[in-house]
Amino acid sequence: MKPKQPDTEFVERVRQELDRGVAHLDPGVSARLSRARQRALARERERKTIWLKPQRLWPAVAIAAALVLFVMLIDYRTLPKSQLTSGIEDVEILASSDNPDFFDELDFYHWLAEEMDRAG
Amino acid sequence: MDSFLASVERRAFRIAQMAVGSTEDALDIVQDAMFGLVKRYADKPPSDWKPLFYRILMSRIRDWYRRRSVRNRWRAWLRNIRYEDRSEETDSIETLPAPPGGNPDAQVMIGDAMAALDRAIQALPLRQQQAFLLRAWEGLSVRETAKAMKCTSGSVKTHYSRAVHTLRDELGEHWP
């Protein structure tokens, strides 16, 4: 009976045979493996740059705008009424064609009008 | 990453081919494994790529077996065939033998010794086959192989040892 080879020697021989098989791999298969590798790497490159494309940024911009609008609305609803009125008055003053100095002296004009009414 | 994948793609293909017995399916499996590695682990240190790549590859091979198992059950159900012992049809990958036959064209091309080895490896249960190829061919450590196969180091040693002994017995006649 033939003595058994040590495992390491046997495994080494198996490894050599397997390597030989890979070295003689069908060229068509090798080419397809190479293409698969390139596709995998290209997909990753595309995935990494895809967020930098303008068309991909639109959803992010839309979400950001919606968030800003939402915060503004919340802010508007929670402001005291007096501040809201004051804000509206400010807009009226800015939109007015009158001289801004007139609004600075508005209290004086109110007092003057009352005095004139009283005087008769 | 390119050079790493280029260095392992042929062996990975052969491992997948021996596991599933189909060139087309093996190519799909390797491609999936490449996509998986690049997508999830490209930022990891290059020293981690090999065990991670084989972990994904082994996972894809297991998925292939599960799909085949489900497909076979549906076929059996559709044909209304009653198997005598359905327990042997379970999805236990542990005991699943690899599909017989392999790729005849490749076997002719690479010679008798290689063909005999191919047949012997394909006849091993999947877990033994994986443990043997990852340890003996890819040179992964026991720990790395266990990680790739999602099992314990002890299981790897057992599978590997059984595989070596089975292969020695099978190839004794062909390898004088």
Side-chain angles (χ1 to χ4, degrees):
Chain A
M1 189 178 164
K2 193 175 174 181
K4 285 196 169 181
Q5 298 167 292
D7 279 352
T8 49
E9 197 179 317
F10 171 77
V11 169
E12 181 56 35
R13 180 156 182 205
V14 170
R15 191 172 20 235
Q16 282 172 5
E17 286 297 330
L18 288 168
D19 284 340
R20 202 157 63 89
V22 162
H24 291 92
L25 205 60
D26 179 61
V29 169
S30 298
R32 289 176 68 182
L33 284 169
S34 179
R35 281 199 298 275
R37 170 168 35 97
Q38 296 306 328
R39 270 200 299 274
L41 294 167
R43 190 188 279 187
E44 177 59 12
R45 278 193 293 270
E46 190 182 335
R47 199 175 67 89
K48 276 184 175 169
T49 57
I50 207 158
W51 294 104
L52 301 175
K53 290 183 178 175
Q55 62 265 33
R56 291 280 169 178
L57 289 175
W58 281 116
V61 170
I63 290 168
L67 275 172
V68 167
L69 194 62
F70 179 73
V71 168
M72 284 173 71
L73 278 172
I74 293 287
D75 212 28
Y76 176 79
R77 288 166 70 97
T78 52
L79 276 175
K81 206 76 178 173
S82 58
Q83 278 194 32
L84 288 175
T85 315
S86 164
I88 291 166
E89 282 172 358
D90 287 348
V91 172
E92 282 175 356
I93 290 168
L94 287 171
S96 169
S97 58
D98 292 328
N99 188 338
D101 292 341
F102 167 77
F103 294 100
D104 285 342
E105 307 292 338
L106 199 58
D107 288 341
F108 169 72
Y109 290 123
H110 279 304
W111 174 81
L112 190 62
E114 281 171 13
E115 287 298 309
M116 286 175 77
D117 284 346
R118 247 182 252 154
Chain B
M1 181 57 86
D2 187 27
S3 57
F4 165 75
L5 289 175
S7 73
V8 294
E9 66 191 14
R10 288 162 162 244
R11 286 196 301 276
F13 165 74
R14 286 289 292 134
I15 289 172
Q17 191 188 34
M18 282 188 273
V20 303
S22 155
T23 299
E24 291 302 317
D25 289 348
L27 280 166
D28 286 345
I29 287 168
V30 174
Q31 180 169 300
D32 274 0
M34 286 177 172
F35 280 138
L37 182 79
V38 171
K39 186 180 172 187
R40 279 184 273 168
Y41 301 115
D43 299 333
K44 293 268 182 188
S47 58
D48 290 350
W49 287 346
K50 198 172 187 179
L52 287 169
F53 174 74
Y54 280 105
R55 185 184 174 94
I56 300 170
L57 188 78
M58 295 303 138
S59 177
R60 296 292 183 275
I61 290 172
R62 281 195 297 274
D63 290 345
W64 184 91
Y65 271 92
R66 286 197 188 99
R67 281 199 302 273
R68 193 184 69 149
S69 176
V70 171
R71 214 164 41 231
N72 287 346
R73 284 180 191 175
W74 275 102
R75 278 182 189 152
W77 182 75
L78 288 169
R79 289 174 192 163
N80 201 17
I81 293 173
R82 184 175 178 277
Y83 287 98
E84 284 184 9
D85 185 2
R86 286 191 73 84
S87 63
E88 286 181 9
E89 262 263 304
T90 57
D91 56 356
S92 170
I93 291 167
E94 191 77 21
T95 54
L96 263 178
N103 184 348
D105 293 341
Q107 287 179 0
V108 168
M109 195 176 69
I110 58 188
D112 287 345
M114 186 60 217
L117 177 62
D118 224 29
R119 277 195 301 274
I121 291 176
Q122 286 192 31
L124 290 173
L126 183 63
R127 302 296 273 172
Q128 288 185 30
Q129 191 185 99
Q130 291 180 341
F132 179 77
L133 290 172
L134 291 178
R135 290 277 294 120
W137 198 17
E138 267 307 329
L140 296 189
S141 67
V142 173
R143 199 174 58 83
E144 287 172 334
T145 306
K147 198 176 169 187
M149 291 176 61
K150 293 183 183 172
C151 65
T152 62
S153 297
S155 294
V156 170
K157 288 175 188 170
T158 306
H159 290 313
Y160 178 78
S161 171
R162 285 180 184 165
V164 169
H165 286 98
T166 306
L167 289 176
R168 284 188 67 146
D169 291 344
E170 289 293 320
L171 294 169
E173 297 170 15
H174 302 278
W175 290 19

